[in-house]
Structure formats: C-alpha cells, structure tokens
Amino acid sequence: MARANGIGSGVGAAVMMGPLIGAFALTLALLVSDAHAQLPTDPTTPPVVHTYTARTTKSATKTVTAGAIRWECKGNECRNTGPWPSLGMEACRSLARLVGTIEAFGRPGAQYTPAQVRECNQPTITLSTPGVVVVIPRSCTSDDDCDDGIFCNGTEQCGRDRRCLRAIPVDCDDRTACTIDQCSEEARECRHLAPDLDGDAHADQSCLLSDGSVAGDDCDDTNSDRYPGAAEICNAVDEDCNPATIGNKDSDYDGFIDANCSNGELRGEDCDDGRRRINPNAQELCNGIDDDCSGTPDDNDAPKVTTWPDNDRDGYGNPAGPIENICLIGSVLIGRSLNDYDCNDTDRARHPGSRCP
C-alpha cells in the first residue's frame, strides 16, 4: 500500500497539533517497551531464549534494528533471538517499516494469525488520544526499501529525507467510455473489460478496446437469451450469436430443415416441413405442387402435354393457338384441348363430326 508523507523529518500527523507531541512520544515509548515485553525478572532463573522469524515478500541480506531489536535478514526471512517470551504488534510493525511487507511473524507455538499479519503491515498507528493519528513513514536508503510488493498501489520511492514517499496508485483508465477498467494484483497488470449488461456472463461485443479490438462476444447485450452457446431456435433470431446456425427443426424427418428457420440471408430448405415427400431432393411431379421446393410448381423435367385453347368448350382446340404445354391434372381440361381440330372456336355446334365447312 502507499505510504503517507511525514511531518518535518518524516513523521506525519493529522488533526490537532496540541496533543500531537505527547501522542508521538507515547508511540515511540510503545515501540521500545513492546520489544522487551515480559522479560524474566527472577535472577536465579536462567532466561529462556526464543527465536522469532519474520517472512517477507522482498528478498534482502542485511541487519536492521527495529525499535530495540536487532534482526538478521537473509533472503525472504528475518530472525532474532532473545529472552522475551512474546513480541507485540509494534515490534512487528517496526520491522515492516524497514524491510517491507511481512507475510508471517512469530516463533514456534506463537505465530501471528492472518488478521494480526494484516494489522502488522498497516503503516498507521492510531493512539487512544481523541482525534490524533500518527503516521510513521518507513525509513529507507533506496527505492527497494520502500517497495511493498503490491503492484496496484503504485511504485514506492525513497525520499531525500530517507523516508518512503506515498506512492501514486496505478492509473488503469484507458479513456474508453464503454470499458470497465481494473487493476489485477494477481496478474500485475491493468485489465479492460467490456460490460455485461444482461448478466449472461458474456460481454458486449459492440464495446471496442482502445486499440480497436473486440472485448466481448455477446451479439445482444440487452437480451440474456442471446449469447454464444445458447440453443438456436427455429425463428429469425440469432440466439447463439453465430450467423452460420439456424436451428435444426425437421418435423417430417426428411433430412431438411424447415424454411421458417432463418438467420439473416441463411434459411432452411424445406418448403413444407409437414410432408416428408416434399423437399429439395424430391422429384417434381405434374400435380400443381412445388414438390422439390424450387419455388415454382411443376417446373424442371416434370412431364407436360401440348394444349390448344377451347373457348367454346366443345372439346376441340383452336389450331390458331396459342399453344401451351401444361401438366395434365386429372382427366379434365378446362378451357384447353389436347387437339387443334376446331373449325370455329366461337360456336360450340361447329366442330369435326358435327358441322365444319
């Protein structure tokens, strides 16, 4: 986390100046007295020596004195050995201000809990004096001494007074209105995400990142039923955000999808999904029905007959035409004849076998 700027030579304060001097003196007293807490007082009893270990996030090889305790640090571990049966919170905090974030602290049988470790790494000491907060910045000789190992709170620096300066948090704003900007401590990087307004776990594909790339895959972020992986239904809506799918409705099981299933220009091929014999592979018959779903009944190679007009309905066609090749549906032709024998197509009584000049 970022360190607060100090007051004068590095000790920062807030609120009233009156009780500040007394509060700060009390803080320093806590740091020293806490290091010697519960020392044995019986001179006839040999002191019991304990070894305390602090595991740190930053590797270093150096000797540091925190409060009244001397620590030997090597790698990611600092140790001290002494007669005190316990070390209080201020001893841990004093060390953290010198070596950086502490991950574990204590001795065998007396380890800090995770909550105590978090408290140890807090840079602020709050005293009981009402309205007074004393902030003790960490002392340093280089920027590395100030590095707390946390990415998102920015880069710590060592000031001219050899106190760690407050870091400026990482700015992850990509200046793109639609994105959600986050700092990932785990990945140690900024992440820019498209919104998911409909809550279907798929981000809006219309939101483009600052480099022009697509951040999401949801083709309709206002409809939670439309997203990649959704079931495609037989209709004109693209439920699965895939323009190459139209559903699989085939009610007559002829192997062709219903023509009512569509996705943009793509649609099914079965013009009658209720009759198995009607589909694109069916033979076109001379029956007035579009058997092969070509869009035109009785087309292609369907057998046809030649007919002539029979305006007087006497069964004889007018040789003057016009001739028309049609499918013979049933056995009755209405207004057409299979011959051209009529000598007068306007008089029903005049035809071959009756009166024909």
Side-chain angles (χ1 to χ4, degrees), residues 262-304:
S262 66
N263 191 342
E265 297 297 323
L266 183 66
R267 63 177 54 250
E269 299 177 295
D270 197 338
C271 56
D272 188 342
D273 202 39
R275 290 191 283 184
R276 185 180 177 87
R277 70 176 185 84
I278 298 179
N279 60 67
N281 278 353
Q283 179 183 2
E284 186 68 27
L285 303 177
C286 187
N287 55 8
I289 298 173
D290 185 12
D291 304 278
D292 62 359
C293 295
S294 66
T296 303
D298 305 331
D299 62 346
N300 301 333
D301 297 326
K304 297 176 177 62

Short mmCIF file of all heavy atoms in Angstrom, two decimals, residues 262-304:
data_model
loop_
_atom_site.label_atom_id
_atom_site.label_comp_id
_atom_site.label_asym_id
_atom_site.label_seq_id
_atom_site.Cartn_x
_atom_site.Cartn_y
_atom_site.Cartn_z
N SER A 262 -34.41 -19.24 -39.92
CA SER A 262 -33.53 -18.36 -40.69
C SER A 262 -32.58 -17.60 -39.77
O SER A 262 -32.80 -17.48 -38.57
CB SER A 262 -34.35 -17.38 -41.52
OG SER A 262 -35.07 -16.49 -40.68
N ASN A 263 -31.52 -17.09 -40.38
CA ASN A 263 -30.53 -16.26 -39.69
C ASN A 263 -29.93 -15.34 -40.74
O ASN A 263 -29.03 -15.72 -41.47
CB ASN A 263 -29.46 -17.12 -39.05
CG ASN A 263 -28.56 -16.34 -38.10
OD1 ASN A 263 -28.51 -15.12 -38.15
ND2 ASN A 263 -27.84 -17.05 -37.25
N GLY A 264 -30.48 -14.13 -40.86
CA GLY A 264 -30.06 -13.24 -41.92
C GLY A 264 -30.48 -13.81 -43.27
O GLY A 264 -31.65 -14.14 -43.49
N GLU A 265 -29.51 -13.93 -44.18
CA GLU A 265 -29.80 -14.48 -45.50
C GLU A 265 -29.88 -16.01 -45.49
O GLU A 265 -30.38 -16.61 -46.44
CB GLU A 265 -28.72 -14.03 -46.50
CG GLU A 265 -28.67 -12.52 -46.72
CD GLU A 265 -29.95 -12.00 -47.33
OE1 GLU A 265 -30.54 -12.70 -48.18
OE2 GLU A 265 -30.37 -10.88 -46.96
N LEU A 266 -29.38 -16.62 -44.45
CA LEU A 266 -29.37 -18.09 -44.37
C LEU A 266 -30.71 -18.58 -43.85
O LEU A 266 -31.24 -18.07 -42.86
CB LEU A 266 -28.24 -18.54 -43.44
CG LEU A 266 -28.03 -20.04 -43.28
CD1 LEU A 266 -27.56 -20.64 -44.59
CD2 LEU A 266 -27.01 -20.31 -42.17
N ARG A 267 -31.28 -19.61 -44.50
CA ARG A 267 -32.54 -20.18 -44.03
C ARG A 267 -32.63 -21.65 -44.40
O ARG A 267 -31.86 -22.16 -45.22
CB ARG A 267 -33.74 -19.43 -44.60
CG ARG A 267 -33.91 -19.47 -46.09
CD ARG A 267 -35.20 -18.75 -46.52
NE ARG A 267 -35.28 -17.42 -46.02
CZ ARG A 267 -36.13 -17.02 -45.06
NH1 ARG A 267 -36.95 -17.89 -44.51
NH2 ARG A 267 -36.14 -15.76 -44.66
N GLY A 268 -33.59 -22.36 -43.81
CA GLY A 268 -33.80 -23.78 -44.10
C GLY A 268 -34.31 -23.99 -45.51
O GLY A 268 -34.78 -23.06 -46.18
N GLU A 269 -34.25 -25.25 -46.00
CA GLU A 269 -34.57 -25.54 -47.40
C GLU A 269 -35.91 -26.24 -47.60
O GLU A 269 -36.38 -26.36 -48.73
CB GLU A 269 -33.47 -26.41 -48.02
CG GLU A 269 -32.09 -25.77 -48.03
CD GLU A 269 -31.05 -26.70 -48.58
OE1 GLU A 269 -30.79 -27.75 -47.95
OE2 GLU A 269 -30.51 -26.39 -49.66
N ASP A 270 -36.52 -26.72 -46.52
CA ASP A 270 -37.75 -27.49 -46.66
C ASP A 270 -38.96 -26.55 -46.72
O ASP A 270 -39.33 -25.92 -45.72
CB ASP A 270 -37.90 -28.46 -45.49
CG ASP A 270 -38.91 -29.56 -45.77
OD1 ASP A 270 -39.78 -29.35 -46.65
OD2 ASP A 270 -38.84 -30.62 -45.12
N CYS A 271 -39.58 -26.45 -47.90
CA CYS A 271 -40.71 -25.53 -48.07
C CYS A 271 -42.00 -26.05 -47.47
O CYS A 271 -42.98 -25.30 -47.34
CB CYS A 271 -40.90 -25.21 -49.55
SG CYS A 271 -41.15 -26.68 -50.59
N ASP A 272 -42.04 -27.32 -47.10
CA ASP A 272 -43.21 -27.90 -46.43
C ASP A 272 -42.72 -28.94 -45.44
O ASP A 272 -42.55 -30.12 -45.79
CB ASP A 272 -44.18 -28.51 -47.46
CG ASP A 272 -45.50 -28.95 -46.83
OD1 ASP A 272 -45.55 -29.09 -45.58
OD2 ASP A 272 -46.49 -29.14 -47.57
N ASP A 273 -42.47 -28.50 -44.20
CA ASP A 273 -41.88 -29.40 -43.20
C ASP A 273 -42.90 -30.32 -42.58
O ASP A 273 -42.59 -31.05 -41.64
CB ASP A 273 -41.19 -28.57 -42.11
CG ASP A 273 -40.14 -29.36 -41.36
OD1 ASP A 273 -39.43 -30.15 -42.01
OD2 ASP A 273 -40.04 -29.21 -40.13
N GLY A 274 -44.13 -30.31 -43.12
CA GLY A 274 -45.16 -31.22 -42.62
C GLY A 274 -45.37 -32.42 -43.51
O GLY A 274 -46.08 -33.36 -43.14
N ARG A 275 -44.77 -32.41 -44.74
CA ARG A 275 -44.92 -33.54 -45.66
C ARG A 275 -43.54 -34.04 -46.08
O ARG A 275 -42.76 -33.29 -46.68
CB ARG A 275 -45.74 -33.13 -46.88
CG ARG A 275 -47.21 -32.89 -46.54
CD ARG A 275 -48.06 -32.75 -47.79
NE ARG A 275 -47.92 -31.46 -48.42
CZ ARG A 275 -48.63 -31.08 -49.49
NH1 ARG A 275 -49.49 -31.92 -50.03
NH2 ARG A 275 -48.46 -29.88 -50.00
N ARG A 276 -43.28 -35.26 -45.75
CA ARG A 276 -41.95 -35.84 -45.95
C ARG A 276 -41.55 -35.90 -47.42
O ARG A 276 -40.37 -35.75 -47.75
CB ARG A 276 -41.93 -37.25 -45.34
CG ARG A 276 -40.57 -37.93 -45.37
CD ARG A 276 -40.65 -39.31 -44.75
NE ARG A 276 -39.38 -40.01 -44.82
CZ ARG A 276 -38.41 -39.91 -43.92
NH1 ARG A 276 -38.56 -39.11 -42.89
NH2 ARG A 276 -37.29 -40.58 -44.06
N ARG A 277 -42.53 -36.08 -48.32
CA ARG A 277 -42.20 -36.25 -49.74
C ARG A 277 -41.88 -34.93 -50.44
O ARG A 277 -41.47 -34.94 -51.60
CB ARG A 277 -43.35 -36.95 -50.47
CG ARG A 277 -44.60 -36.11 -50.63
CD ARG A 277 -45.66 -36.85 -51.44
NE ARG A 277 -46.82 -36.02 -51.70
CZ ARG A 277 -46.92 -35.15 -52.69
NH1 ARG A 277 -45.88 -34.98 -53.51
NH2 ARG A 277 -48.01 -34.45 -52.88
N ILE A 278 -42.07 -33.81 -49.72
CA ILE A 278 -41.75 -32.51 -50.31
C ILE A 278 -40.47 -31.98 -49.68
O ILE A 278 -40.42 -31.69 -48.48
CB ILE A 278 -42.91 -31.50 -50.10
CG1 ILE A 278 -44.17 -32.01 -50.81
CG2 ILE A 278 -42.51 -30.12 -50.60
CD1 ILE A 278 -45.36 -31.10 -50.64
N ASN A 279 -39.43 -31.88 -50.49
CA ASN A 279 -38.13 -31.39 -50.02
C ASN A 279 -37.24 -31.15 -51.25
O ASN A 279 -37.61 -31.54 -52.36
CB ASN A 279 -37.49 -32.40 -49.06
CG ASN A 279 -37.26 -33.76 -49.70
OD1 ASN A 279 -36.44 -33.89 -50.61
ND2 ASN A 279 -38.00 -34.77 -49.24
N PRO A 280 -36.10 -30.52 -51.09
CA PRO A 280 -35.26 -30.22 -52.27
C PRO A 280 -34.80 -31.42 -53.06
O PRO A 280 -34.42 -31.28 -54.24
CB PRO A 280 -34.05 -29.49 -51.64
CG PRO A 280 -34.60 -28.85 -50.42
CD PRO A 280 -35.59 -29.85 -49.88
N ASN A 281 -34.83 -32.62 -52.49
CA ASN A 281 -34.40 -33.81 -53.22
C ASN A 281 -35.57 -34.58 -53.84
O ASN A 281 -35.36 -35.61 -54.50
CB ASN A 281 -33.65 -34.76 -52.28
CG ASN A 281 -32.19 -34.35 -52.12
OD1 ASN A 281 -31.71 -33.45 -52.81
ND2 ASN A 281 -31.48 -35.02 -51.23
N ALA A 282 -36.78 -34.11 -53.67
CA ALA A 282 -37.95 -34.82 -54.19
C ALA A 282 -38.06 -34.64 -55.70
O ALA A 282 -37.58 -33.66 -56.27
CB ALA A 282 -39.22 -34.32 -53.50
N GLN A 283 -38.73 -35.59 -56.37
CA GLN A 283 -38.96 -35.49 -57.80
C GLN A 283 -40.15 -34.56 -58.04
O GLN A 283 -41.19 -34.68 -57.40
CB GLN A 283 -39.24 -36.87 -58.41
CG GLN A 283 -39.51 -36.81 -59.90
CD GLN A 283 -39.86 -38.19 -60.46
OE1 GLN A 283 -39.94 -39.17 -59.72
NE2 GLN A 283 -40.05 -38.27 -61.77
N GLU A 284 -39.97 -33.64 -58.96
CA GLU A 284 -41.06 -32.72 -59.29
C GLU A 284 -42.08 -33.46 -60.14
O GLU A 284 -41.76 -34.01 -61.20
CB GLU A 284 -40.52 -31.50 -60.04
CG GLU A 284 -41.55 -30.44 -60.30
CD GLU A 284 -42.02 -29.74 -59.04
OE1 GLU A 284 -41.24 -29.69 -58.05
OE2 GLU A 284 -43.16 -29.27 -59.01
N LEU A 285 -43.31 -33.50 -59.66
CA LEU A 285 -44.39 -34.19 -60.37
C LEU A 285 -45.30 -33.17 -61.03
O LEU A 285 -45.30 -31.98 -60.70
CB LEU A 285 -45.20 -35.04 -59.39
CG LEU A 285 -44.42 -36.09 -58.60
CD1 LEU A 285 -45.34 -36.81 -57.62
CD2 LEU A 285 -43.73 -37.09 -59.52
N CYS A 286 -46.08 -33.65 -61.97
CA CYS A 286 -47.04 -32.79 -62.65
C CYS A 286 -48.34 -32.82 -61.85
O CYS A 286 -49.25 -33.59 -62.12
CB CYS A 286 -47.26 -33.30 -64.08
SG CYS A 286 -48.27 -32.22 -65.09
N ASN A 287 -48.37 -31.98 -60.80
CA ASN A 287 -49.52 -32.05 -59.88
C ASN A 287 -49.91 -30.68 -59.31
O ASN A 287 -50.72 -30.59 -58.40
CB ASN A 287 -49.22 -32.99 -58.73
CG ASN A 287 -47.94 -32.63 -57.99
OD1 ASN A 287 -47.35 -31.58 -58.23
ND2 ASN A 287 -47.51 -33.52 -57.11
N GLY A 288 -49.31 -29.60 -59.80
CA GLY A 288 -49.62 -28.28 -59.29
C GLY A 288 -48.98 -27.96 -57.95
O GLY A 288 -49.29 -26.94 -57.34
N ILE A 289 -48.07 -28.83 -57.48
CA ILE A 289 -47.39 -28.65 -56.18
C ILE A 289 -45.89 -28.48 -56.42
O ILE A 289 -45.32 -29.12 -57.30
CB ILE A 289 -47.65 -29.87 -55.26
CG1 ILE A 289 -49.14 -30.00 -54.96
CG2 ILE A 289 -46.87 -29.74 -53.96
CD1 ILE A 289 -49.50 -31.26 -54.20
N ASP A 290 -45.26 -27.63 -55.60
CA ASP A 290 -43.81 -27.44 -55.70
C ASP A 290 -43.13 -28.56 -54.92
O ASP A 290 -42.68 -28.39 -53.78
CB ASP A 290 -43.42 -26.07 -55.14
CG ASP A 290 -41.94 -25.77 -55.32
OD1 ASP A 290 -41.27 -26.51 -56.06
OD2 ASP A 290 -41.47 -24.80 -54.70
N ASP A 291 -43.02 -29.73 -55.52
CA ASP A 291 -42.50 -30.91 -54.83
C ASP A 291 -41.04 -30.75 -54.42
O ASP A 291 -40.63 -31.22 -53.36
CB ASP A 291 -42.63 -32.16 -55.73
CG ASP A 291 -44.05 -32.40 -56.19
OD1 ASP A 291 -44.83 -32.98 -55.44
OD2 ASP A 291 -44.37 -31.96 -57.32
N ASP A 292 -40.22 -30.10 -55.24
CA ASP A 292 -38.78 -30.03 -54.99
C ASP A 292 -38.35 -28.70 -54.36
O ASP A 292 -37.16 -28.37 -54.31
CB ASP A 292 -37.99 -30.29 -56.26
CG ASP A 292 -38.27 -29.25 -57.35
OD1 ASP A 292 -39.10 -28.34 -57.11
OD2 ASP A 292 -37.66 -29.36 -58.42
N CYS A 293 -39.34 -27.90 -53.89
CA CYS A 293 -39.05 -26.65 -53.18
C CYS A 293 -38.20 -25.70 -54.02
O CYS A 293 -37.35 -24.97 -53.48
CB CYS A 293 -38.37 -26.93 -51.85
SG CYS A 293 -39.40 -27.83 -50.67
N SER A 294 -38.44 -25.69 -55.33
CA SER A 294 -37.69 -24.78 -56.20
C SER A 294 -38.30 -23.40 -56.23
O SER A 294 -37.68 -22.46 -56.73
CB SER A 294 -37.65 -25.35 -57.63
OG SER A 294 -38.96 -25.36 -58.19
N GLY A 295 -39.52 -23.28 -55.72
CA GLY A 295 -40.21 -22.01 -55.75
C GLY A 295 -41.27 -21.94 -56.83
O GLY A 295 -42.09 -21.02 -56.85
N THR A 296 -41.28 -22.92 -57.76
CA THR A 296 -42.25 -22.95 -58.86
C THR A 296 -42.83 -24.36 -58.98
O THR A 296 -42.07 -25.32 -59.16
CB THR A 296 -41.60 -22.56 -60.19
OG1 THR A 296 -41.00 -21.27 -60.05
CG2 THR A 296 -42.62 -22.52 -61.31
N PRO A 297 -44.16 -24.52 -58.92
CA PRO A 297 -44.76 -25.85 -59.09
C PRO A 297 -44.58 -26.35 -60.53
O PRO A 297 -44.55 -25.56 -61.49
CB PRO A 297 -46.23 -25.63 -58.77
CG PRO A 297 -46.29 -24.34 -58.03
CD PRO A 297 -45.17 -23.52 -58.56
N ASP A 298 -44.42 -27.66 -60.68
CA ASP A 298 -44.42 -28.33 -61.98
C ASP A 298 -43.35 -27.80 -62.93
O ASP A 298 -43.56 -27.70 -64.15
CB ASP A 298 -45.81 -28.20 -62.65
CG ASP A 298 -46.93 -28.72 -61.77
OD1 ASP A 298 -46.66 -29.62 -60.96
OD2 ASP A 298 -48.05 -28.19 -61.87
N ASP A 299 -42.18 -27.43 -62.39
CA ASP A 299 -41.11 -26.96 -63.26
C ASP A 299 -40.10 -28.07 -63.47
O ASP A 299 -40.38 -29.24 -63.25
CB ASP A 299 -40.44 -25.72 -62.68
CG ASP A 299 -39.78 -26.00 -61.34
OD1 ASP A 299 -40.05 -27.07 -60.74
OD2 ASP A 299 -39.00 -25.15 -60.86
N ASN A 300 -38.95 -27.72 -63.90
CA ASN A 300 -37.87 -28.69 -64.16
C ASN A 300 -38.28 -29.69 -65.24
O ASN A 300 -38.79 -29.32 -66.28
CB ASN A 300 -37.44 -29.39 -62.87
CG ASN A 300 -36.94 -28.40 -61.83
OD1 ASN A 300 -36.45 -27.33 -62.17
ND2 ASN A 300 -37.09 -28.74 -60.56
N ASP A 301 -38.13 -30.98 -64.98
CA ASP A 301 -38.38 -32.00 -66.00
C ASP A 301 -39.70 -32.71 -65.82
O ASP A 301 -39.88 -33.85 -66.27
CB ASP A 301 -37.24 -33.04 -65.99
CG ASP A 301 -35.91 -32.42 -66.35
OD1 ASP A 301 -35.90 -31.47 -67.17
OD2 ASP A 301 -34.88 -32.86 -65.81
N ALA A 302 -40.66 -32.08 -65.18
CA ALA A 302 -41.97 -32.73 -64.99
C ALA A 302 -42.62 -32.94 -66.36
O ALA A 302 -42.55 -32.07 -67.23
CB ALA A 302 -42.85 -31.85 -64.12
N PRO A 303 -43.24 -34.12 -66.60
CA PRO A 303 -43.87 -34.40 -67.91
C PRO A 303 -45.02 -33.43 -68.19
O PRO A 303 -45.80 -33.11 -67.31
CB PRO A 303 -44.38 -35.83 -67.74
CG PRO A 303 -44.51 -36.03 -66.27
CD PRO A 303 -43.43 -35.21 -65.65
N LYS A 304 -45.10 -32.96 -69.46
CA LYS A 304 -46.12 -31.99 -69.84
C LYS A 304 -46.81 -32.45 -71.13
O LYS A 304 -46.29 -33.29 -71.87
CB LYS A 304 -45.48 -30.61 -70.03
CG LYS A 304 -44.87 -30.02 -68.78
CD LYS A 304 -44.18 -28.69 -69.07
CE LYS A 304 -43.63 -28.04 -67.82
NZ LYS A 304 -42.60 -28.86 -67.16
#
